[in-house]
Amino acid sequence: MKTLHKTALFIACTLAFSSSVHGAYQASEEATQLTQDTILIDSHIDVPYRVNEQWVDVTKATEDGDFDYPRAKAGGLNAPFMSIYVPASLDDSDESTALAHKLIDYVEAIVGRAPDKFAIAKSVADVKSQFEQGLISLPMGMENGSPIQGDLDNLKTFYERGIRYITLAHSQSNHIADSSYDIRRKWKGLSPFGKTLVTEMNNIGIMVDISHVSDQAFYQAIDISKVPVIASHSSLRKFTPGFERNMDDDMIKALGENGGVIQINFGSTFVSKLSQNWRNQMTAKRKALVDKEGEDSPLVAAFDEEYIAKNPFPFANVDTVLDHIDHVVKLIGIDHVGIGSDYDGVGDSLPEGLKDVSTYPNLVQGLMDRDYSEADIKKILSGNFLRVWQAVEDYAAKH
């Protein structure tokens, strides 16, 4: 799976401890129906990279992964952004651009296999009309701007193929921006090209995604952007102190002033300090063992399984995710928060009650239990994101 929080670590967790407890969260008929009756946008699902690693037909039920058609229908998911994820290891190479095109091909292949179930969506209007037709829309966002390769012609090409947001960097600083994970602050924010790119993304109609970038890059991006930006799959640093991948309160406030939206990541280590600390402790102890015994030691090979057996992974739950939504609403209001689960991207670290795309009604039930109105729930499910996307489209139409 994907880098850092998207590792075999969590696969081992699930193999050792089956924590899929859908039954612990029973959504009411009202919550389930509200989910079915509403456009539901999840702005970050890693199906393309999943099927690139091992092809599986997600137009039918699958035995693994977090997404397939039957589960999406059951969960009311009708507009998942397919993440065109390119690993940072491919930065500054033609291979990154080639992989991005290959992953887009996979999304088109999904639609080609089941045009009665799925449709490519390139606009807000597409999502709305496809919802009325009973189709699942597949808009696309590019995770890691590396495939642009410093060439604005590539930006235009990817727009034409359906890319509607770009996460400027991923786990390493690239030619566009510094990454929150990279201690080398190569650009002190955005590169000169990155600053140009933000403007051109505004002009062409591609949303600027500030998930993964450094704090400096975030502030520079919102300063340059003439339209609201998104955080396609981030959570709050308040609950995970020191984890720069998440956003702190000052950033959330700045995002609100910008008119943007933060789409909450479901991964346990993104939403729970306890889960984050567990991961950090395991990583530190594994590194100490490698330093002492060497990477090829049998002790190292057995470490993960033995550690997890003695120290079960502390999964987050629905309430943990809801706490993040509550905090955004408290800080900047109901108009700036949504869902960016990172399904098929965070391995098996998903919270209890939110293990796959069939479980959105559990989140809706939680919102109802916390006295969110139907109108506000609809904003969280899609209204806020659609507002930003429409603003980006309207600006581009004039420029």
Side-chain angles (χ1 to χ4, degrees):
M1 300 300 287
K2 291 159 60 180
T3 248
L4 294 173
H5 291 273
K6 309 178 180 189
T7 66
L9 166 73
F10 297 112
I11 296 174
C13 288
T14 290
L15 290 175
F17 299 93
S18 178
S19 297
S20 183
V21 290
H22 295 195
Y25 294 88
Q26 291 293 337
S28 65
E29 289 186 15
E30 183 182 1
T32 301
Q33 194 62 50
L34 176 57
T35 313
Q36 292 289 333
D37 292 344
T38 304
I39 294 176
L40 199 168
I41 288 178
D42 187 322
S43 56
H44 196 90
I45 295 186
D46 278 294
V47 167
Y49 199 74
R50 169 188 165 197
V51 300
N52 181 63
E53 290 193 313
Q54 182 174 355
W55 171 256
V56 60
D57 186 357
V58 296
T59 69
K60 304 175 182 178
T62 60
E63 294 182 359
D64 57 3
D66 308 326
F67 175 96
D68 57 38
Y69 180 77
R71 284 183 285 174
K73 290 295 286 185
L77 177 62
N78 42 59
F81 266 79
M82 297 286 99
S83 173
I84 305 305
Y85 162 67
V86 175
S89 59
L90 300 182
D91 287 355
D92 302 316
S93 73
D94 292 339
E95 191 177 351
S96 71
T97 306
L99 177 58
H101 282 296
K102 182 181 180 183
L103 298 183
I104 295 172
D105 291 344
Y106 282 134
V107 178
E108 292 176 346
I110 291 169
V111 174
R113 280 174 171 262
D116 58 327
K117 298 176 180 178
F118 296 99
I120 300 292
K122 297 184 178 182
S123 66
V124 172
D126 284 349
V127 170
K128 291 180 177 179
S129 67
Q130 290 161 8
F131 174 71
E132 293 298 327
Q133 297 171 58
L135 296 170
I136 293 180
S137 295
L138 297 181
M140 289 179 281
M142 179 182 288
E143 185 179 20
N144 188 0
S146 173
I148 303 301
Q149 292 296 309
D151 186 345
L152 294 178
D153 284 341
N154 282 332
L155 180 71
K156 180 179 179 181
T157 298
F158 282 119
Y159 175 82
E160 290 170 347
R161 293 209 67 189
I163 294 298
R164 289 302 179 265
Y165 73 70
I166 295 176
T167 317
L168 301 179
H170 192 250
S171 60
Q172 295 178 17
S173 301
N174 60 14
H175 73 289
I176 297 168
D178 291 333
S179 165
S180 62
Y181 287 127
D182 196 337
I183 61 173
R184 303 164 298 169
R185 296 304 198 229
K186 181 178 181 180
W187 304 112
K188 304 297 187 292
L190 300 177
S191 71
F193 176 75
K195 294 173 181 178
T196 298
L197 182 66
V198 169
T199 297
E200 291 304 313
M201 287 170 66
N202 285 176
N203 291 340
I204 199 172
I206 294 178
M207 289 174 277
V208 176
D209 178 19
I210 53 75
S211 288
H212 280 287
V213 303
S214 69
D215 290 8
Q216 286 177 296
F218 161 78
Y219 283 110
Q220 290 171 20
I222 63 169
D223 183 58
I224 293 169
S225 182
K226 303 300 183 184
V227 292
V229 305
I230 66 168
S232 70
H233 59 307
S234 295
S235 300
L236 307 187
R237 211 175 297 173
K238 170 184 170 61
F239 300 97
T240 55
F243 184 35
E244 190 176 342
R245 170 66 178 82
N246 279 345
M247 300 177 68
D248 67 22
D249 283 5
D250 288 339
M251 296 169 77
I252 297 295
K253 291 175 182 177
L255 184 74
E257 292 173 3
N258 164 266
V261 60
I262 176 172
Q263 305 285 103
I264 300 300
N265 189 313
F266 289 177
S268 289
T269 59
F270 284 81
V271 295
S272 166
K273 180 179 179 180
L274 184 63
S275 302
Q276 178 78 204
N277 288 344
W278 183 96
R279 184 196 66 84
N280 291 340
Q281 290 171 11
M282 179 177 176
T283 299
K285 290 182 178 181
R286 190 182 194 283
K287 182 179 183 303
L289 184 63
V290 170
D291 290 345
K292 179 181 179 181
E293 302 290 342
E295 185 69 51
D296 297 329
S297 167
L299 293 176
V300 172
F303 174 79
D304 286 8
E305 184 175 350
E306 291 179 359
Y307 185 89
I308 294 165
K310 295 177 181 177
N311 306 277
F313 180 71
F315 289 91
N317 58 36
V318 175
D319 285 318
T320 322
V321 175
L322 290 169
D323 288 344
H324 286 250
I325 294 174
D326 280 352
H327 191 66
V328 176
V329 174
K330 178 181 177 181
L331 279 178
I332 58 175
I334 190 63
D335 296 323
H336 305 281
V337 64
I339 297 170
S341 65
D342 217 346
Y343 280 133
D344 275 330
V346 287
D348 296 306
S349 75
L350 290 160
E352 296 176 350
L354 293 171
K355 291 296 185 183
D356 62 35
V357 296
S358 71
T359 60
Y360 297 102
N362 294 337
L363 189 72
V364 171
Q365 184 65 57
L367 290 167
M368 294 171 65
D369 292 345
R370 295 191 182 201
D371 296 325
Y372 282 82
S373 68
E374 180 175 320
D376 286 348
I377 291 171
K378 288 183 176 181
K379 286 185 176 184
I380 293 167
L381 295 183
S382 62
N384 294 334
F385 192 94
L386 288 174
R387 171 186 56 80
V388 171
W389 191 359
Q390 188 65 63
V392 172
E393 287 186 356
D394 291 346
Y395 181 88
K398 298 176 182 178
H399 294 81

